[in-house]
Amino acid sequence: MKIVVCCEGSAGSCFAVRAAKHCFARENDEVVLYYCRTSKSDGGKGDDLEMMLRENDIEGERLVIEDINETDDIAGTIVKYLKSVCADMVVLGSTGRSAASAIGSVARYVAKYSHCSCALIRPSFRFTSNCVFMVGVDGSRYSQSALRAAVRLARRYDDIVVRSFGVASVEFNEECRSVLGRAVSDGTIGDYSVIVDSTASPSAAGEMVPQPSVFSRTGSFINLTV
């Protein structure tokens, strides 16, 4: 799998680099650091970039530097690059340098228009503990893709919560349990839970936060868009 990490030297993008390198990437995956260099990145000194490479052990041949003017369409440039290299997944910080909202404009655009799966990493992401992947499903083929992505990205000590809405069939919910049960049995993930909600709409997926009783452990939450 080819994972592209978009960064511009901000704290949020540094979190994205760490998440891709230490949490998402597997042994045979290719991690590409797509560094969008602007006048605000590092003042032209390259200090931010050198520190990022050193701390995250990114090899030189996996680095792509894109010089972008402040007036350019940064989000559109990223989306075009992802398509040109046939990326399987893009990882970026939920906010950039401005951090004016929960999800920045660039992150929002890339998540909406990129052809590949997208993971937005928040500053609160914890790298030392297990992660909890929350997947909202409605029985569609996109739901199946999201579930497969979560199983693929989760580590052996990570957990997966599936929230199934009323439009999903009983058979689909049972298939979710079967897929996750096999993942636990073969050691791919730590634990799972399938929560069927027959009243809420799919748009309420982000409103549910699993209580500690769902798992024996609690960890970071990751929102996935596929």
Side-chain angles (χ1 to χ4, degrees), residues 8 10-13 92-105 107 121-123:
E8 85 296 25
S10 67
S13 64
L92 66 164
S94 59
T95 59
R97 293 181 179 276
S98 62
S101 61
I103 299 180
S105 58
I121 307 302
R122 297 187 182 279

Side-chain angles (χ1 to χ4, degrees), residues 2-4 78-79 81-83 85-91 110-119 225-226:
K2 178 179 288 187
I3 303 174
V4 175
I78 293 174
V79 170
Y81 174 78
L82 295 173
K83 187 174 183 179
V85 298
C86 300
D88 298 299
M89 180 179 182
V90 58
V91 183
V110 173
K112 184 176 181 179
Y113 293 106
S114 61
H115 76 284
C116 58
S117 299
C118 176
T225 61
V226 178

